[in-house]
Amino acid sequence: MPSMMELEEMISSRFYVISNNNAENYRGHYAQSVGVHSLAVYPALQPSMPTPSAEANKGVSIIQHLSPKSWLFSRHSRQLVNEAMGTFRSLQGMVEDATPREGDDPLDLTSALINKSREYRSMLQACVCSLNSDLDKLEPDSDEYQEMAGQCQLLYKMELLLGLVEIIFVDSRPGSLILSQLVCWVRLHYPACTEQMVKIMAEEDPSQHNLYWQTIYELVCQGRMSDARQMLQQHPYCHTDAFVAIEEILRKMPTYQLYSGVSDGEFMLRWQHWQAECENRLQGGEFAAWSHLKKLAEIMCGNSASILSVTMCGEGNRNDRGGCWVPHLLATLLFTQPNVKLHRLHDAATRAITECCVKLSALDALLLSAMQGDALQVVRGCQQTLDNLWLGAHLTDLLHHALASQRHTQLSLAAMRESIVQDYALELAGHPSLWQVGIVYLDYCGTEGVKDASPLTSLLLERVPLTSDAKAHKVINMAEQRNLEHVVRGVCRVMGRRAANEGRLAAAIWWAVRAKDAPFTSHTAHQVLHRYLTSGEFQSSALLLDHLGPTMLLSETLTFLGKYREFHSLYNRGDRKQAADLLVTLISSKLAPQYFWPVLLLDVLPLLQSSEDSQDKDDEIVVTAAHTYELMYCLNSVVDKFQRDNSRDRGSAVAMECGLVRAFTQREHELRTCLAHNLARAIVTESSSHSVTAMSGISAA
Amino acid sequence: MYNSKVIDTDHKDVIHDIAFDFYGRRMATCSSDQLVKIWNLDDDGNWVLDSTLKSPSGAVWKVTWAHPEFGQIIATCSFDRSATIYEDSISDKGHGMKRSWIKRCPLVDARSSVTDVKFAPKSMGLVLAVCCADGLVRLYEAYDIMNLSQWATVHDINTRLPCCSCISWNPSPSRFSAPLLAVGSDDGCLANSSNNSSGGTMSITNTNTPNNASNNTARVAIFAYCDNGRRWEQVETLLSITDRVHDIAFAPNPGRSFHILAVASKDLKIIVLKPKPANSDGSCGGFDLAVAGQFADHGSNVWRVSWNVTGTVVSASGDNGLVKIYKANYLDVWKCVGTLSSFGAVPHSISDRPDEEEQPVQPQQTFGNSAQSLATNKSSAVGAVAAAAASGARYLKMASTNNPGTVVWH
């Protein structure tokens, strides 16, 4: 397993090797960008090389598709990414609410920021937990295990850093005495000694355990005095003078509490008094008989060699979770400098590191710069050392808000926050399944705030692969929320085009209408009509056409299509008069394309025939005389056209012979007869009814 | 860090160009073996061969995709003085639906080798720009986008450049800026276009010739469409670039008021074009040019530049076998944020090199052509990385870290 140090080094060296052992004659690669951060590289024949032989051509055809790899895209991090987005969003919302309106004092965001920072930390911890539980199921030698273990350590260190940043930058207390916060921070991250204590106490005779004393030392080094006392009481000689004395010292150690009413100076006085007493007893040889107790007293007197010997071989500190210098720092501070101020912390840390003789890893350096109070350096370090910007983005955001609320307005931090959050968003947006999260982050990058979508959003949204209708709807939805009308139209056009290509005409029309793309709508509507010509039915389009409503006005052909469908439903309902009126209007208004007239005429036929059948009810004239003239004109022009086409071109005549057109040519004669009959009847009926109305008009007069 | 997926295209000769469709889910490759291959990304993330198109004669230099609003269309250009348009279409003739690539239209007006083809941004309609070695750029338009077999020349632009090698459209024109077209030029294609009838490799022809054209010729010209004259006018010449230009690319523009152009020449130049206010007669006012970044760390030549879809990252490939990735930091300073190196020629004994100071290897400033110097360069780089990861191949991969999304601070 690689140590933490190695892992970090691997990440921070940004150098990738393209392996292509076959292409030995090829000097390097050409790269082509794909999407946001992917690359395709292919071997390049450099001009200085001679033309390769066929043998040497081996490997020339290999393309490598490189896509970004990071633990961020692993299965376990999914939850982390999504939850962090929620927290990030609500934090931005709170900041926006807290922005001072005219005259108001800005609200204090500190407690909110601390909350959010803790949320981030608990997410990281949850992620570590889920990784750990999965680790148990894996072979320790497998690649996956090692990768996950590495990720685990990385997350752990990130949390460590976030905790420290929270103490130093976000949760800064008055008086800048930070030891109590540091104690909590270290206790939380180096829990090995308490775990060990529980294990030992469960033994029958704890004092016989070989780690009994070591554990007590470590507990004391973390300032867990009562735990240490509890363990000491398990010793068979705990009632001897030496034990009683050490217990008293442990019990009496003063701890600083911020709001306890004890001032800084008074606390130091008490503490010095306590240590002096401890020293006296040690010098007085009270613990001479017990080497262990003597060492304990030495630790409490601040003897750095003793402290070092404990922290260096501590069970929990020896693993490479952040090196042993952090517990050592804490122990040293506890027993030499309990009133350490923030600005002294960095010096103390550097001393602790030199005493521990550890090589500083990149993340250790980050901790150091945090202790130095250099927020910019922390942000830069995050960018540089981590292979993705999860921590970078959220940390920068927190720092930005925290420092802004403390009125240390740092312009560069604001600019950096924007650029890092944007980079993180792009990192996510390049991933096939995290793009939505990325888009959300982009919303908060612009200086304008939430109102204006980042200009990058439209570039990214329109390139989301539309693999299914559902995905298209998702993209449209997101674009509509951000008022990106052109993206919506673009998506609809592409979907329409695709549907048309695949022969799904109803879907094509629907998308085209949404895209408000008139030419394409007409084109598709024509295709529907042509299909109707051959098959005589609308198939799937019928339902769509029934519900078009006013959108059908987008294109003439679509209007005709919709109206023609309306004719069908009127006819089916038995509303013949209206149906006939509509049909003739369609023809006379020239809305119907001419190639479709034969169908319309065929549709008239049953109407004409039905009125013939119902001769007894003489007032029922379905097609009026004027309309009949129109129809006759239409019939003649269709027949004329057929004849012209026939004489000119044999080919098209064959095309005419399909489906409904053939039916038309066969029934042309029948149609003429019916029209003539109808005309006669209509003239008679109309003139009589006309005369009746005229008569009634006269009588009324 | 990158995951690498290897695709064996089975091209029998050098691949000249690969192009991805708008969504990055389809890929077209073209090669000296006269073939164009189309690949689809399946649901498992593998590239699957969709179809193979054969160019009638000559190597295929470039391939490009049209916007999916117009359907699945590619254009290729080739050594045989033609550009060709293919469409992936579905026909329901015969048994069931059949999908196939159909050659819609050959564009054969060129008098010499066609060196580049690019579709215009979708807002201009279905327009294709074709540039040839004789210095002419032709714009073709499909008037009826439902019928792709009819294309007409809408504009002829005489660039007055010695030999056009590459073109680039300004990818996102807005209402406030006229459509822009940048043309780059190298030389040598002209001299050699006649003596290699079967279609050799372009890269050989265009660099063995000495740099005979006068060194003072400007190599990049920018054209803008002027509504007034309804024609393309040369609005700017980049006088600062007098070396052969191999590739040129406008960055996608997410609503900036200026344009960014990457030029691959002897070095990589990133040029910012700020539009000047239009002249009183309404003609284009030209641009204020400024070099935002200039990178000479590619040996003697940069061959290709390629922007990502958001225009935030540009990758450049050069003579010394390195692909470098550049990004602007928050102060708009362009910096190299990643390096990709070829591994091919390096012996496998790298892992027993003692640990070196681990740091990204700086590319050699003076590029020696000998393979030896390249090998040492590579092996030291690889050795450094591998030493950090002595535990085996997997860590080698992890070590080869590269994250273009991150700004490196030095």
Side-chain angles (χ1 to χ4, degrees), chain A residues 380-566:
Chain A
R380 283 176 196 164
C382 280
Q383 270 186 317
Q384 202 165 19
T385 43
L386 299 168
D387 73 335
N388 64 62
L389 288 171
W390 187 93
L391 184 66
H394 295 118
L395 191 86
T396 318
D397 184 52
L398 268 178
L399 281 175
H400 167 66
H401 293 313
L403 298 186
S405 69
Q406 288 173 17
R407 305 195 182 195
H408 304 305
T409 330
Q410 296 202 14
L411 278 177
S412 54
L413 196 61
M416 268 177 108
R417 169 196 173 263
E418 198 176 309
S419 117
I420 293 178
V421 172
Q422 176 175 316
D423 286 348
Y424 176 62
L426 290 183
E427 223 166 60
L428 293 174
H431 191 265
S433 55
L434 291 174
W435 58 272
Q436 296 183 69
V437 184
I439 301 275
V440 169
Y441 276 95
L442 271 186
D443 289 346
Y444 297 99
C445 291
T447 36
E448 307 299 317
V450 199
K451 274 89 203 167
D452 253 11
S454 161
L456 289 176
T457 311
S458 68
L459 281 184
L460 287 170
L461 268 182
E462 64 184 7
R463 286 193 189 252
V464 172
L466 305 168
T467 42
S468 63
D469 277 17
K471 201 146 178 203
H473 285 301
K474 209 181 263 175
V475 174
I476 289 175
N477 206 353
M478 294 192 81
E480 275 173 348
Q481 284 168 5
R482 290 165 181 79
N483 290 327
L484 299 170
E485 192 49 40
H486 61 284
V487 175
V488 176
R489 273 211 302 280
V491 169
C492 293
R493 275 193 191 155
V494 171
M495 291 305 285
R497 187 79 201 199
R498 191 183 294 170
N501 251 355
E502 288 165 6
R504 295 183 286 121
L505 295 181
I509 287 188
W510 190 82
W511 286 113
V513 166
R514 276 208 78 171
K516 301 197 176 56
D517 182 351
F520 181 66
T521 316
S522 300
H523 175 83
T524 322
H526 278 299
Q527 278 188 313
V528 174
L529 289 177
H530 278 296
R531 195 181 272 184
Y532 185 83
L533 273 180
T534 43
S535 67
E537 52 185 318
F538 277 126
Q539 296 160 348
S540 57
S541 320
L543 199 65
L544 173 79
L545 293 175
D546 285 344
H547 296 96
L548 268 181
T551 49
M552 70 165 73
L553 295 173
L554 182 65
S555 100
E556 280 196 0
T557 326
L558 186 65
T559 318
F560 168 70
L561 197 58
K563 285 291 172 193
Y564 181 62
R565 172 67 199 164
E566 199 180 316

Side-chain angles (χ1 to χ4, degrees), chain B residues 79 81 111-113 133 188-197 205:
Chain B
F79 184 76
R81 302 176 188 182
R111 301 274 165 76
S112 60
S113 176
C189 298
L190 261 187
N192 284 277
S193 56
S194 53
N195 63 12
N196 205 339
S197 56
T205 57

Side-chain angles (χ1 to χ4, degrees), chain B residues 315-365:
Chain B
S315 60
S317 335
D319 253 349
N320 54 0
L322 298 178
V323 175
K324 293 216 153 207
I325 297 160
Y326 300 90
K327 184 181 178 307
N329 71 4
Y330 74 105
L331 297 169
D332 280 336
V333 179
W334 288 86
K335 285 184 173 170
C336 174
V337 293
T339 309
L340 281 73
S341 158
S342 308
F343 189 38
V346 181
H348 288 286
S349 57
I350 44 148
S351 55
D352 50 33
R353 292 174 68 95
D355 48 335
E356 279 170 46
E357 197 51 37
E358 159 272 331
Q359 55 179 229
V361 167
Q362 295 301 314
Q364 294 165 334
Q365 290 298 319

Side-chain angles (χ1 to χ4, degrees), chain A residues 454-456 458-459, chain B residues 172 174 252-258 310:
Chain A
S454 161
L456 289 176
S458 68
L459 281 184
Chain B
S172 20
S174 64
N253 188 346
R256 287 184 294 251
S257 61
F258 54 90
T310 49

Side-chain angles (χ1 to χ4, degrees), chain A residues 179 183 220-223 253 271 330-338:
Chain A
L179 190 66
V183 167
V220 169
C221 278
Q222 287 197 1
M253 179 175 171
W271 185 83
L330 181 78
T332 320
L333 289 178
L334 259 181
F335 299 112
T336 58
Q337 217 181 338

